[in-house]
Amino acid sequence: MLAETICSAVSAAGLGIAAVTAYRKRFLTATRIAAYSLVPIGLVLTGVVEWVAGIAFKPSVWLGFGALGLSWLLFMTTRAIERRSGTTRAERKAARAAGRNEAVAPGASAPSLGAGAGAGPAAAAKPQSKPKKKQEAAAPGDDFSDIEAILKKHGI
C-alpha cells in the first residue's frame, strides 16, 4: 500500500514539473518528463509494484538469487582457469586426434608418411638399391617431406 502511494506521488510531482517546463516553452523536454512521470503509476496499475514488493520480502527468493549468483561465479571461475591454461576443449580434442594419427613416430628421425602394406619389419630389412647420385638428386625433394609430415599431423 505504501509503495503504491509513493509511486502515485512521484508521478504527480513529475507531471507538475512537466507542466512548468511546458509553460517555459520547452515542449520536447516537457513531453519527456511527462513520459517518465507516467511510468511509476503505470507500474502500480499493472500490479508490477505489488508483485515486486511480494518478492522482495521472501527469504526463499533471496536464496534463489544467491544460488544463481553462486552458479554464475563458479561458471566464470572455470572459464577463467580454462583461459589461463591456454587450452580449450576443442584444442584438447584436436591434440588427442593428432596423437592417434601421428605422422612422425616418437623418437624417429624421419617422418613416416603412413602405414602401407609393405611398412613392416620385412620392409625395413630390405636394403635400398638406389645409387648415391639419385639419393643426392632427391635430397631437395626430401626437404618438403618434413613439412608434409607436419601438415598431415595437423590435419591440413
Side-chain angles (χ1 to χ4, degrees), residues 4-81:
E4 288 87 358
T5 306
I6 291 171
C7 287
S8 299
V10 167
S11 289
L15 290 173
I17 293 170
V20 170
T21 306
Y23 179 75
R24 294 182 180 170
K25 306 271 191 235
R26 299 184 67 198
F27 298 112
L28 186 61
T29 305
T31 305
R32 283 190 187 135
I33 292 171
Y36 283 120
S37 299
L38 291 173
V39 170
I41 197 71
L43 292 174
V44 168
L45 293 173
T46 58
V48 173
V49 173
E50 184 179 338
W51 177 72
V52 170
I55 286 179
F57 298 113
K58 288 184 181 177
S60 61
V61 172
W62 288 105
L63 288 174
F65 281 124
L68 287 173
L70 179 64
S71 68
W72 178 82
L73 179 70
L74 292 173
F75 179 70
M76 287 299 144
T77 302
T78 57
R79 296 267 320 248
I81 290 170

Side-chain angles (χ1 to χ4, degrees), residues 2 12 17-18 27 29 34 39 48 50 61 72 80 84 90 96 100 105 116-117 120 125 128 131 133 135 139 145 154:
L2 181 64
I17 293 170
F27 298 112
T29 305
V39 170
V48 173
E50 184 179 338
V61 172
W72 178 82
R84 235 184 145 150
R96 272 187 259 129
R100 284 187 225 123
Q128 292 183 354
K133 289 183 180 178
Q135 285 181 354
S145 65
H154 293 287

